[in-house]
Amino acid sequence: MSKTTTNSNSMTSLLTVALNNKKCNFRDVMLKCIESIVGKNISDDVCFYDETHQSLPYEEMDGKEIDIIARVPGKRTPVLMIEVKVGVGEILQKSQKEGGQYDLTSKAHGIPLLYIIPQDYYHRGEIPARAEILDWEDILAVAREHDNTYFAEQIEHFVELSEEDEVLSKEEVALLTVQPLLEDVYTTKNQVLDEIRQILEKHGRESIKPQFDQYGVGYYYNYDGNECFIGFNPCLEGERFLTLCIGENASTDKDDKLYYEYGYYYVPVLGAKCVEGDKEVLTDLRKALKEKKIVISKSFEKSLRSFYTLRAKVANLAAAYAEGKPREPYPKTEDGDDKGFCFGESDSSDYFLGLSFEHSIFSLDIRQDLVDTDKCKDLLPNGTYYAFLLSDQKSLFNDFLLSATGEELQKNFNALVDAAKKEADKYRK
């Protein structure tokens, strides 16, 4: 079981204990806080139960168990449903998303639905619209002031809290400054994905569709009554970084033979002793990678994961730059390409801010139909855009890379993009 999953289970239990502790002011303050968020009075004698001590026998739940329910003793209908996430990249299962079992049950029975997540949670935009959100950072503030146990320390230990002074890591700086590194990552990633695509086509796997986002980099397909995914999993490390993921199926009992997490069984593509899964695809893929000497090195693994965390940081910086308008950290393009983050839509935005695998650039792009092409002969074409490399603003770019605090990083990012926009405006018609 992964560290994030273990932490989620631990924090769910610890939070339940803290919320039930009537001898501590933390409970009273949190009840008032939750009341204000969900817009509903909560009885002083309410009790909180984690999934090991409760279940919701509603048809809409379809057997799914939410992390915590709040119920007044003697009453059947809960007063609150709570889902807990502690990792910024911890995914939402289908039951937890818009239109999933939690959403449907909340609507059908009028039960408020609350998600407790880190402030920098990547998948905030996938939480059901009817649900309310409480950040762990706010709970931590209450625990520090009103809790006389060790709950604040436990939050700090188990939860991936936002860092006020979070800056770019060494790996992220390297991706922005060492062009051959990003090119190598892009090349290796595409070599592996191309082998996967050919092998899936060779064996006639149906419903093949590409996936390029925070969940993984690879292909979904249906096989033997299961939804499968094969490719890279940036959130996982080691042998499970390149895996075949087999969706949970009630008619398939794999017991403890395979690693299990987030509704999927995981079969490592490389160095795996386990023979479970889509044997034909796995055998051919292992053989192809070996024959063509395609190496999934530790440096590649680290760089690919760093690309996704870097792109998420750029997304957050760009969202703040664009006056705080909500943005998806990992946007999807209709053709499934893995271009990087952009602010604005392709049919309405003058500018795109991109961190591109394909072109190995960090740039501000302007649509070709908005510029005087005669003035753009020395610029880099980037699809239907012209790219203004942010690294060309050398002094501002260095300031951005060397930012010492999160606030400084945002300030220097804004200055960098402003300078690039000013330069791009010189080329407008």
Side-chain angles (χ1 to χ4, degrees), residues 42-58:
I42 298 178
S43 173
D44 290 338
D45 59 349
V46 69
C47 291
F48 295 84
Y49 304 88
D50 63 30
E51 64 179 9
T52 60
H53 297 94
Q54 56 80 21
S55 62
L56 293 176
Y58 298 125

Side-chain angles (χ1 to χ4, degrees), residues 12 51 59 68 104 110 136 171 200 224 277 304 323 326 347 354 366 390-391:
T12 297
E51 64 179 9
E59 182 179 349
I68 299 174
L104 294 175
W136 272 111
E171 290 81 8
L200 291 176
D224 196 25
L304 186 61
E323 300 178 351
D347 59 351
I366 185 169
L390 272 67
S391 56

Side-chain angles (χ1 to χ4, degrees), residues 240-342:
R240 287 187 288 273
F241 178 62
L242 177 59
T243 53
L244 168 68
C245 306
I246 307 169
E248 182 178 20
N249 188 317
S251 64
T252 303
D253 182 11
K254 296 179 176 61
D255 299 319
D256 294 326
K257 295 179 182 178
L258 299 177
Y259 177 86
Y260 176 82
E261 187 176 14
Y262 301 136
Y264 284 89
Y265 294 95
Y266 291 76
V267 183
V269 169
L270 301 176
K273 296 179 181 179
C274 181
V275 295
E276 293 286 340
D278 191 347
K279 299 177 184 177
E280 292 178 336
V281 167
L282 284 172
T283 299
D284 279 5
L285 180 56
R286 290 165 181 160
K287 182 179 179 181
L289 295 178
K290 183 177 181 180
E291 288 180 348
K292 297 184 180 181
K293 298 180 179 179
I294 300 174
V295 179
I296 310 300
S297 65
K298 288 294 183 182
S299 61
F300 168 79
E301 180 181 331
K302 181 181 291 186
S303 294
L304 186 61
R305 286 204 313 274
S306 294
F307 176 84
Y308 282 89
T309 60
L310 174 59
R311 196 165 62 170
K313 289 182 182 179
V314 173
N316 291 333
L317 293 170
Y321 178 89
E323 300 178 351
K325 296 177 182 177
R327 302 296 181 200
E328 287 290 336
Y330 298 93
K332 306 175 184 67
T333 56
E334 290 184 0
D335 59 359
D337 206 352
D338 197 16
K339 296 288 188 183
F341 178 80
C342 301

Side-chain angles (χ1 to χ4, degrees), residues 77-94:
T77 302
V79 298
L80 185 65
M81 299 164 57
I82 303 175
E83 178 62 21
V84 178
K85 300 293 182 185
V86 303
V88 295
E90 192 175 352
I91 66 173
L92 290 170
Q93 298 180 24
K94 291 181 180 179

Side-chain angles (χ1 to χ4, degrees), residues 91-157:
I91 66 173
L92 290 170
Q93 298 180 24
K94 291 181 180 179
S95 59
Q96 301 162 358
K97 297 181 180 180
E98 181 80 28
Q101 283 89 340
Y102 298 178
D103 187 27
L104 294 175
T105 302
S106 172
K107 182 178 181 180
H109 301 279
I111 307 170
L113 179 59
L114 179 67
Y115 281 66
I116 297 178
I117 59 176
Q119 182 176 297
D120 293 334
Y121 186 58
Y122 294 168
H123 314 302
R124 186 180 287 259
E126 299 176 13
I127 292 174
R130 68 179 294 106
E132 302 296 341
I133 294 174
L134 176 60
D135 291 342
W136 272 111
E137 286 76 3
D138 294 330
I139 297 178
L140 177 60
V142 175
R144 282 172 173 167
E145 184 175 356
H146 297 284
D147 188 75
N148 56 6
T149 66
Y150 293 102
F151 190 49
E153 287 83 352
Q154 292 166 334
I155 295 174
E156 291 172 329
H157 177 72

Side-chain angles (χ1 to χ4, degrees), residues 17-28 146-149:
V17 171
L19 289 173
N20 284 328
N21 186 355
K22 295 184 179 181
K23 297 180 180 180
C24 185
N25 289 336
F26 173 80
R27 171 187 163 92
D28 295 333
H146 297 284
D147 188 75
N148 56 6
T149 66

